């Protein structure tokens, strides 16, 4: 039904850390653009600092590559905007889900719909 897999990450930017977070996001977006299998990598931020990141990957290997690259930014990213929630989207294998175990992601399996 769904070819791709991905996740949603939610976070909250700490008071006074918006500029720090923006700089980290600029860096990681530039690096992520080099990943051929990352199909969607979008950040959304509310006026009061709530963050939602939508990530979609071509396949499991592409998701592993992205997580490995993200590890280079994780400490700075989480220091500026601690994660509050994560949702896995699709049929993610256990070895991939385990890489996010610290965030206790909820797994949502394909149910219906389409992508153009």
């Amino acid at each position: 039904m769904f070819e791709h897999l991905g996740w949603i990450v939610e976070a909250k930017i700490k008071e006074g850390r918006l500029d720090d977070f923006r700089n980290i996001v600029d860096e990681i977006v530039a690096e992520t653009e080099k990943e051929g299998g990352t199909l969607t990598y979008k950040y959304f931020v509310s006026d009061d600092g709530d963050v939602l990141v939508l990530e979609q990957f071509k396949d499991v290997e592409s998701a592993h590559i992205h997580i490995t690259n993200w590890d280079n930014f994780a400490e700075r990213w989480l220091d500026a905007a601690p994660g509050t929630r994560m949702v896995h989207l699709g049929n993610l294998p256990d070895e991939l889900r385990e890489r996010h175990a610290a965030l206790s992601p909820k797994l949502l399996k394909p149910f219906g719909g389409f992508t153009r």
Side-chain angles (χ1 to χ4, degrees):
M1 177 185 299
F2 298 165
E3 292 179 44
H4 308 120
L5 54 96
W7 46 80
I8 295 170
V9 177
E10 294 180 2
K12 181 72 169 181
I13 300 171
K14 290 181 181 175
E15 185 78 29
R17 300 292 305 273
L18 178 62
D19 289 338
D20 293 337
F21 189 68
R22 184 184 315 275
N23 290 334
I24 295 162
V25 169
D26 288 347
E27 289 177 44
I28 195 169
V29 167
E31 286 301 311
T32 301
E33 282 182 313
K34 298 173 187 175
E35 301 169 1
T38 299
L39 304 174
T40 303
Y41 192 65
K42 295 181 178 180
Y43 280 76
F44 302 86
V45 178
S46 70
D47 289 341
D48 61 349
D50 290 321
V51 177
L52 185 141
V53 187
L54 175 61
E55 306 181 39
Q56 189 175 35
F57 306 93
K58 177 177 72 173
D59 52 29
V60 172
E61 180 183 354
S62 299
H64 278 295
I65 289 168
H66 175 70
I67 294 170
T68 299
N69 289 337
W70 188 82
D71 286 344
N72 296 320
F73 301 90
E75 187 175 336
R76 290 173 42 224
W77 196 102
L78 292 168
D79 184 56
T84 58
R85 182 173 184 239
M86 184 170 199
V87 178
H88 281 164
L89 305 170
N91 293 312
L92 280 73
D94 288 342
E95 78 270 3
L96 187 58
R97 296 196 72 229
E98 289 169 7
R99 294 190 74 180
H100 291 138
L103 295 172
S104 301
K106 179 178 204 104
L107 175 61
L108 298 180
K109 298 177 183 177
F111 191 74
F114 66 92
T115 299
R116 292 192 195 268

